[in-house]
Amino acid sequence: MGSQVHYLPLTPALFSILVFLFVGLIILIQLRILRYAYMKLGVGPGAALLLLFGSLIGSYFNIPITILPGQLVRSGEVVDFFGMQYVVPLVQQWPGTVLAVNVGGAVIPTLMSTYLVLRYQLWVKATIAVAAIAVIIHAMATPVHGLGIAVPVFAPVVVTAILAFLLSREYAAPLAYIGGSMGTLIGADLSNLDKISGLGAPVASIGGAGTFDGIFLTGILAVLLAGIVSPSRPKPAW
């Protein structure tokens, strides 16, 4: 299998759009338009850009966990779902569906969410946000042959924005990131693991194709919410 489990989750054209959004954020930071927003999120501008950059580049890498026996897998295709085009990697002599964890869409958001929960002690509100978003996203999640589980790209963003406003004005930014990323991972991928083996996907990546774009956009949303919504910088517990 080797390097065949690593691939861009989106077509080059759509992936370039995310790169464009990231470059746009860099320009805004350099102009200091959103510098204070990053501070309210709980990390400095450099760390925030590193977080988004790591998520973007990390989307290429998948960490294999196990192999699920299944039907003949599809290979080298592009799957259309709600206007988005996802890549099915080109594979040869494939044993089944490789269950993997995406670095950019699962590992980095999990680590960042854990940091934000601990820093601001958002145990109750974060739990409510993650649970509510997971239920909503689970209802929207769709098994897609050759791909795995997919969610409409803007669903996590819209749901997260509304819920973050309702739960806390001061902590809207960290709650948006925590709830959006963890709620999407749980509601779309983890709660649908039993449906993956019959989809003929060569690689079913948790946080990868089908859900990565929504998680990445949620990260950007958290930055914007920090600057637009929060009246003051959240008070860390430590």
Side-chain angles (χ1 to χ4, degrees), residues 21-208:
L21 290 175
F22 174 73
V23 173
L25 278 180
I26 293 179
I27 295 175
L28 290 175
I29 289 301
Q30 294 304 317
L31 294 176
R32 297 188 177 183
I33 296 176
L34 290 179
R35 183 175 297 274
Y36 70 101
Y38 286 111
M39 299 302 294
K40 291 180 181 178
L41 185 59
V43 295
L49 286 177
L50 182 62
L51 169 70
L52 292 176
F53 180 74
S55 295
L56 195 62
I57 299 302
S59 68
Y60 179 82
F61 299 99
N62 294 300
I63 303 174
I65 300 176
T66 186
I67 297 177
L68 304 175
Q71 60 186 26
L72 182 66
V73 299
R74 298 169 67 173
S75 173
E77 302 178 22
V78 174
V79 177
D80 290 303
F81 180 79
F82 267 85
M84 299 296 291
Q85 294 183 320
Y86 299 101
V87 175
V88 178
L90 179 63
V91 298
Q92 297 177 347
Q93 298 180 345
W94 215 244
T97 297
V98 175
L99 181 62
V101 175
N102 188 266
V103 174
V107 176
I108 292 178
T110 299
L111 293 176
M112 183 59 182
S113 295
T114 301
Y115 165 78
L116 292 175
V117 170
L118 293 175
R119 181 174 176 81
Y120 297 115
Q121 294 295 296
L122 297 172
W123 300 102
V124 176
K125 291 182 179 180
T127 299
I128 294 174
V130 171
I133 293 173
V135 171
I136 296 173
I137 295 300
H138 181 75
M140 299 179 180
T142 303
V144 179
H145 285 282
L147 178 64
I149 307 300
V151 176
V153 60
F154 290 109
V157 178
V158 174
V159 173
T160 296
I162 296 174
L163 194 59
F165 276 116
L166 295 176
L167 285 175
S168 173
R169 185 177 178 85
E170 180 181 5
Y171 296 100
L175 285 174
Y177 189 93
I178 298 166
S181 57
M182 294 297 97
T184 300
L185 286 174
I186 295 173
D189 290 331
L190 296 181
S191 63
N192 287 295
L193 289 179
D194 58 325
K195 302 176 182 177
I196 291 177
S197 60
L199 297 177
V203 178
S205 180
I206 298 174

